[in-house]
Amino acid sequence: MSFLLILEQTLNGLQFGVMLFLIAAGLTLVLGIMNLVNLAHGSLYMVGAFVCAWVSVETDSFLLGLAAALPATALVASVVELLVVRRLYSRDHLDQVLATFGLILFFNEATKMIWGARPLRLDPPDFLSGTVELLPGAPYPAFRLAVILVGLAVALGLFLLVTRTRLGMLIRAGASNREMVSALGVDIDRLYTVVFALGAALTALAGAMAGPIYSVEIGMGESVLIPVFVVIVIGGIGSIRGAFVAALLVGLTFVWGRAFLPGLFGLVLEPSTASTLGSAISAMAIYILMAAVLIWRPRGLFPPHG
Amino acid sequence: MKLRMTALAAATLAALPFAAGAPAQAADPVKIGMITTLSGGGSGLGIDIRDGFLLAVEEGGGQLGGVPVEVLVEDDARKPDVATEIANRMVERDEVDIMTGIVWSNLAIAVVPKVTREGVFYISPNAGPSLLAGRGCHENYFNVAWQNDNLHEAMGQYVQDQGFETAYILAPNYPAGQDALAGFKRYYKGEIVGEVYTQLGQTDYAAELAALRDADPDAVFFFLPGGMGISFIKQYDQAGLNGEIPLFGPAFSFDQGILGAVGDAALGVVNSSQWNKDIDNAANKNFVEGFRKAYGRLPSLYASQGYDAAKLIASALAKTGGVGDRDAFRAALEAADFESTRGAFRFNSNHHPIQTIYVREVVKEGEVLTNRIVGTAFEEHGDAYAEECSM
């Protein structure tokens, strides 16, 4: 187990973590402020990836695709918020789960009608398609490195937005005490739409950046939603800071578990048992992490006050 | 009360001529129930199977083997419980004679034993789990594609023949994944320097790729169907491993429906398949042309399997004229007297194919990525489970 391998796996964990953070940020705000369980959040991730892939192929430019994906997804999200989601805020969680599950089916079928059932192609831009030699003998995919940097930059920007601006103040207030915010005369409907669209744009960014690494296909947002829910539960619902810390924790646990557990078990067990046991435990690792955090802090790491 | 009794009697009398009359099958179309995946993830596969099957029906003008057929198509959304429910409805309410269409092994295991027990014929256009080929085989079950292990076995043989001394192998941790690696190891005799089971549905392979590079094998074999494979190949390329360590896999990750999404990262990869669009025979030429004309895209492996399933049914119906005589129809299916798109084809004792498995390479024809046959891994290849099947 060389130092280089540990470094590379740590970068992999960070990259997966920032991706989770971009998706989780919107979801945790929507759940924390509007008290809405939005299962269709993953569908917005899919919309972002599809728009980016489509525009990239048409214009031959990944950056244009990325630039188109964010506003397009925010627009789709605003329409969905106005037409469907708005009616769900006052309903109980079961109704919300049912309705947003319906939205998943709607988005999957609509995507198929527009772009067909076959997965789409999305390549990284040429200047990020190779590898970067971080240290001698440790090539690392340039695109993944870019994802880490963009993710960290967006996290910083979001942190400033939430702590330093009027909108951020309203968002924090909304997460802590919704009734008080509306009682103070804030246009809560507009705030909700803005937060929903902002969350969608962040998710679209994650989807567009995931496209060149993963596959742009129907249903791609559903599998990613499970670790994202784990992230927001660990971080504390409604907390951006919590989502960031939890996303990195989950990302690192996810990658380190798969990378190192089989080897660790191999020290005491025979290889085939170690491999099977290692991959089984690493599949459970993020849930074990979540259970441990919840025993220690039942409301997550950084619950908003209120 | 009296009135009702009279009405009942009249109704019974009215129904009698049909009940007692001659078998009406000459006029009734043969009912074929197709359960396949048409929505959600993996729907590309089911759509291709359906389109291939319906192409054959259309070529016959709504008939297969000169017998009118009615095809009922339903979407299982890749869920075993949905598939089971549709199967029950098709058997009990619609009274289908033949069923087909299922893409995934776990769905096939849930549906096939039940419907074949009820006397329905099931023609699998894709899934071929070892259970249904071995101890769980059934006289009414036929697989026109392959037994699950076949393409992996072929890749094992090829990697062995090419003289690679060490191999690193990965597959998802579920029955078909374990079958895949077992199939590869059945024919590859070199040293396995890493055997990794990933999670089903996993999309990020960074951890596995870093470990893979560290292990420094001569060859890599992977079985990751659908989106998992697209992610893996792209990440393999982005990690700079493409061209450094040769990559091998079954056709599923290099099929026509997927290559467009993988892009140039797949160029030059060698994969195993029982079919390719350049196999030189009249049936295949006719199929590739007809498919392209009807649907405006190149056919995939799955489309060829759906087409062959329909052609197999057609060959049996042409001999028997219907499904009324089950034994005659079964014997006609066993004969497999049809022009398969892949050329020579016959059934093993367990109703699974004995066929040639080719080795293909991903190439570019103009701007389109596709496959070209570069060799043969097996001729007349059967499966390892036929001996366990007693029927």
Side-chain angles (χ1 to χ4, degrees):
Chain A
M1 190 77 49
S2 67
F3 167 72
L4 287 180
L5 189 61
I6 295 175
L7 175 78
E8 184 173 354
Q9 298 291 26
T10 305
L11 282 175
N12 287 333
L14 279 179
Q15 181 264 320
F16 190 63
V18 297
M19 202 86 112
L20 286 177
F21 168 71
L22 291 178
I23 310 171
L27 193 64
T28 199
L29 286 179
V30 167
L31 186 52
I33 299 175
M34 288 97 122
N35 197 23
L36 173 83
V37 181
N38 181 17
L39 294 186
H41 197 67
S43 296
L44 298 170
Y45 170 81
M46 176 176 74
V47 170
F50 269 86
V51 171
C52 180
W54 179 57
V55 175
S56 295
V57 167
E58 294 296 318
T59 64
D60 220 13
S61 158
F62 175 79
L63 294 179
L64 278 181
L66 190 66
L70 269 59
T73 311
L75 186 72
V76 169
S78 310
V79 172
V80 168
E81 202 270 344
L82 284 170
L83 291 179
V84 183
V85 171
R86 179 157 290 192
R87 292 157 216 280
L88 298 171
Y89 294 141
S90 55
R91 310 287 281 266
D92 66 27
H93 283 168
L94 190 61
D95 289 356
Q96 296 174 350
V97 166
L98 212 57
T100 52
F101 183 74
L103 280 177
I104 292 181
L105 301 179
F106 168 80
F107 273 110
N108 282 345
E109 287 312 293
T111 308
K112 194 167 82 185
M113 285 163 73
I114 298 172
W115 286 291
R118 289 182 172 181
L120 291 195
R121 173 174 182 175
L122 181 52
D123 293 333
D126 282 341
F127 63 95
L128 290 176
S129 61
T131 55
V132 178
E133 199 108 343
L134 284 178
L135 290 170
Y140 195 76
F143 190 77
R144 281 184 192 264
L145 210 56
V147 169
I148 297 177
L149 295 177
V150 170
L152 291 177
V154 171
L156 181 67
L158 202 58
F159 182 73
L160 292 177
L161 175 86
V162 168
T163 53
R164 300 286 155 85
T165 65
R166 188 175 160 75
L167 175 66
M169 187 185 72
L170 291 176
I171 289 175
R172 273 181 295 139
S176 302
N177 195 329
R178 281 189 301 159
E179 287 79 10
M180 191 56 88
V181 174
S182 54
L184 289 173
V186 173
D187 184 351
I188 202 88
D189 281 351
R190 214 185 56 180
L191 178 67
Y192 283 5
T193 312
V194 167
V195 169
F196 201 80
L198 176 70
L202 291 173
T203 302
L205 176 64
M209 290 199 305
I213 307 181
Y214 310 142
S215 73
V216 182
E217 61 176 342
I218 292 164
M220 64 186 284
E222 287 145 49
S223 50
V224 82
L225 205 60
I226 297 167
V228 169
F229 268 110
V230 171
V231 164
I232 67 172
V233 168
I234 290 179
I237 289 164
S239 164
I240 290 282
R241 192 163 49 133
F244 182 71
V245 173
L248 295 190
L249 271 179
V250 167
L252 287 172
T253 309
F254 189 71
V255 170
W256 279 347
R258 279 185 295 141
F260 302 132
L261 273 183
L264 282 181
F265 284 120
L267 297 177
V268 284
L269 297 166
E270 54 177 306
S272 66
T273 328
S275 164
T276 324
L277 195 66
S279 61
I281 304 251
S282 64
M284 290 184 266
I286 62 169
Y287 306 104
I288 296 172
L289 174 73
M290 176 170 75
V293 168
L294 289 183
I295 290 170
W296 174 45
R297 304 188 79 154
R299 296 186 60 212
L301 292 176
F302 301 96
H305 304 288
Chain B
M1 185 69 194
K2 195 173 178 191
L3 186 70
R4 202 197 279 171
M5 284 300 288
T6 318
L8 191 66
T12 315
L13 279 176
L16 256 182
F18 294 101
Q25 69 190 27
D28 285 348
V30 169
K31 276 193 178 177
I32 302 174
M34 172 180 285
I35 306 176
T36 195
T37 306
L38 301 173
S39 66
S43 56
L45 283 65
I47 288 169
D48 276 1
I49 288 176
R50 178 196 65 189
D51 289 351
F53 193 96
L54 293 182
L55 178 67
V57 176
E58 241 158 67
E59 280 177 359
Q63 302 185 338
L64 285 177
V67 178
V69 293
E70 183 188 346
V71 186
L72 312 169
V73 183
E74 294 250 17
D75 172 24
D76 60 34
R78 203 175 176 168
K79 297 194 170 73
D81 50 324
V82 177
T84 315
E85 195 191 309
I86 299 170
N88 286 340
R89 198 167 66 225
M90 283 184 168
V91 171
E92 280 158 28
R93 195 191 67 192
D94 302 324
E95 298 184 333
V96 297
D97 308 295
I98 303 169
M99 288 180 75
T100 183
I102 294 178
V103 179
W104 316 99
S105 290
N106 54 335
L107 274 68
I109 289 172
V111 167
V112 170
K114 193 168 160 23
V115 301
T116 49
R117 262 203 313 276
E118 303 265 352
V120 173
F121 288 94
Y122 186 86
I123 317 288
S124 177
N126 198 59
S130 50
L131 181 74
L132 298 178
R135 280 197 299 278
C137 67
H138 192 279
E139 55 176 8
N140 287 345
Y141 171 73
F142 292 80
N143 186 309
V144 76
W146 23 253
Q147 198 282 315
N148 278 359
D149 300 8
N150 286 165
L151 300 192
H152 314 299
E153 291 169 345
M155 222 59 270
Q157 182 70 44
Y158 182 81
V159 174
Q160 172 75 17
D161 289 347
Q162 296 292 309
F164 290 101
E165 282 170 13
T166 59
Y168 196 95
I169 58 180
L170 357 71
N173 198 7
Y174 80 125
Q178 287 140 12
D179 282 358
L181 297 193
F184 180 85
K185 287 192 289 183
R186 197 173 288 138
Y187 287 86
Y188 178 71
K189 300 300 170 205
E191 191 193 346
I192 305 283
V193 291
E195 180 171 350
V196 175
Y197 286 107
T198 59
Q199 292 169 33
L200 193 60
Q202 181 176 329
T203 49
D204 195 290
Y205 295 95
E208 287 76 7
L209 289 172
L212 188 159
R213 190 201 303 274
D214 204 46
D216 195 25
D218 292 339
V220 175
F221 170 79
F222 77 105
F223 164 62
L224 295 163
M228 294 185 279
I230 300 177
S231 307
F232 182 80
I233 303 164
K234 282 161 114 174
Q235 292 167 32
Y236 195 84
D237 186 47
Q238 285 163 16
L241 288 164
N242 208 357
E244 223 171 86
I245 307 172
L247 185 64
F248 300 93
F252 315 118
S253 292
F254 303 94
D255 197 48
Q256 205 61 52
I258 273 183
L259 279 178
V262 180
D264 292 349
L267 260 184
V269 178
V270 170
N271 62 96
S272 53
S273 176
Q274 86 286 7
W275 176 85
N276 196 40
K277 73 175 172 42
D278 64 358
I279 294 178
D280 193 14
N281 66 57
N284 196 37
K285 276 200 183 113
N286 179 42
F287 162 69
V288 174
E289 265 317 295
F291 193 93
R292 206 190 311 207
K293 215 171 270 170
Y295 304 107
R297 62 181 197 269
L298 284 175
S300 67
L301 177 82
Y302 308 102
S304 82
Q305 292 163 188
Y307 185 80
D308 276 350
K311 286 291 183 187
L312 170 69
I313 295 170
S315 73
L317 286 176
K319 284 186 187 168
T320 60
V323 192
D325 183 346
R326 306 253 148 190
D327 292 332
F329 186 69
R330 185 178 308 116
L333 285 174
E334 278 169 353
D337 205 355
F338 73 109
E339 298 292 321
S340 154
T341 55
R342 66 199 94 159
F345 178 98
R346 65 191 165 91
F347 278 123
N348 208 341
S349 57
N350 60 347
H351 293 175
H352 282 64
I354 295 181
Q355 59 188 343
T356 301
I357 313 254
Y358 299 97
V359 177
R360 317 187 295 185
E361 185 186 0
V362 179
V363 294
K364 230 176 186 176
E365 285 179 3
E367 276 302 292
V368 183
L369 284 165
T370 187
N371 285 282
R372 188 168 51 106
I373 289 181
V374 293
T376 306
F378 290 125
E379 306 230 10
E380 299 264 301
H381 185 61
D383 62 85
Y385 304 97
E387 284 164 18
E388 292 172 25
C389 163
S390 54
M391 64 178 158

